[in-house]
Amino acid sequence: MSAATPRPAARPALPATFRPTRTRVVLLAVGLVMFLVITAIAMILESLSPGERTSFVFVALLFFGVLALLSRPRIVADERGVTVVNITRTRRLAWAEIVRVNLRAGDPWVFLDLSDGTSLPALGIQPGIAREHAIRDARALRALAEFHGSGVDESTRNG
């Protein structure tokens, strides 16, 4: 019964951070294991020169760095607005700039519809590995946006 009817999301206390925790753990764990394995191989192979060993370790560090960069996305909400941290960019938004928080079926992550008519991907909420957690986070962020910002029709109904 509760799955068929949408229920209003509770507003989390601020500041609130949303991030794909399981994805982050998997990425960092794989990066660490790969770093250790490649480094161990570089040390075990007797035929490698010191320069070749160094390049093995450098490639392992580079690989770990890429996975660490992929684990970076998050959304931080506070009283003044939202900070969206994606893979290589960070953008600060006031609550009034967020018109709508969208996570539609099939979307790889949340999209924020902004007051200037654009849409901003927010990779900090992604349903990949933890779909239910992402839906819960998207609802919580939507409730915060509707409460603190201009929101959508819901804000005028609830306010």
Side-chain angles (χ1 to χ4, degrees):
M1 179 168 106
S2 63
T5 59
R7 57 189 192 279
R11 277 190 331 266
L14 294 178
T17 301
F18 305 99
R19 70 173 17 154
T21 306
R22 287 185 192 166
T23 302
R24 180 178 166 92
V25 167
V26 168
L27 288 169
L28 292 175
V30 167
L32 180 62
V33 168
M34 291 304 298
F35 173 77
L36 294 173
V37 167
I38 293 171
T39 301
I41 290 171
M43 298 306 150
I44 291 171
L45 292 176
E46 295 174 5
S47 61
L48 295 179
S49 70
E52 290 170 323
R53 289 180 203 270
T54 303
S55 62
F56 263 72
V57 174
F58 176 75
V59 168
L61 274 173
L62 188 63
F63 185 70
F64 181 77
V66 168
L67 292 180
L69 198 59
L70 290 173
S71 71
R72 183 175 181 251
R74 67 184 172 277
I75 301 166
V76 181
D78 59 31
E79 292 294 333
R80 296 185 328 258
V82 173
T83 302
V84 177
V85 179
N86 286 333
I87 294 171
T88 59
R89 294 186 163 238
T90 300
R91 182 158 176 201
R92 178 74 184 160
L93 301 166
W95 285 114
E97 292 179 80
I98 302 171
V99 176
R100 184 176 178 101
V101 177
N102 290 310
L103 180 60
R104 295 174 293 259
D107 280 350
W109 39 71
V110 162
F111 288 90
L112 303 178
D113 291 340
L114 305 179
S115 60
D116 65 0
T118 62
S119 183
L120 175 69
L123 281 64
I125 300 175
Q126 44 185 273
I129 295 176
R131 183 175 179 266
E132 293 302 318
H133 182 58
I135 291 170
R136 195 171 44 251
D137 283 354
R139 285 180 179 153
L141 183 59
R142 182 178 300 133
L144 285 169
E146 290 172 355
F147 180 77
H148 291 284
S150 59
V152 291
D153 295 334
E154 308 291 327
S155 65
T156 56
R157 258 194 309 217
N158 295 335

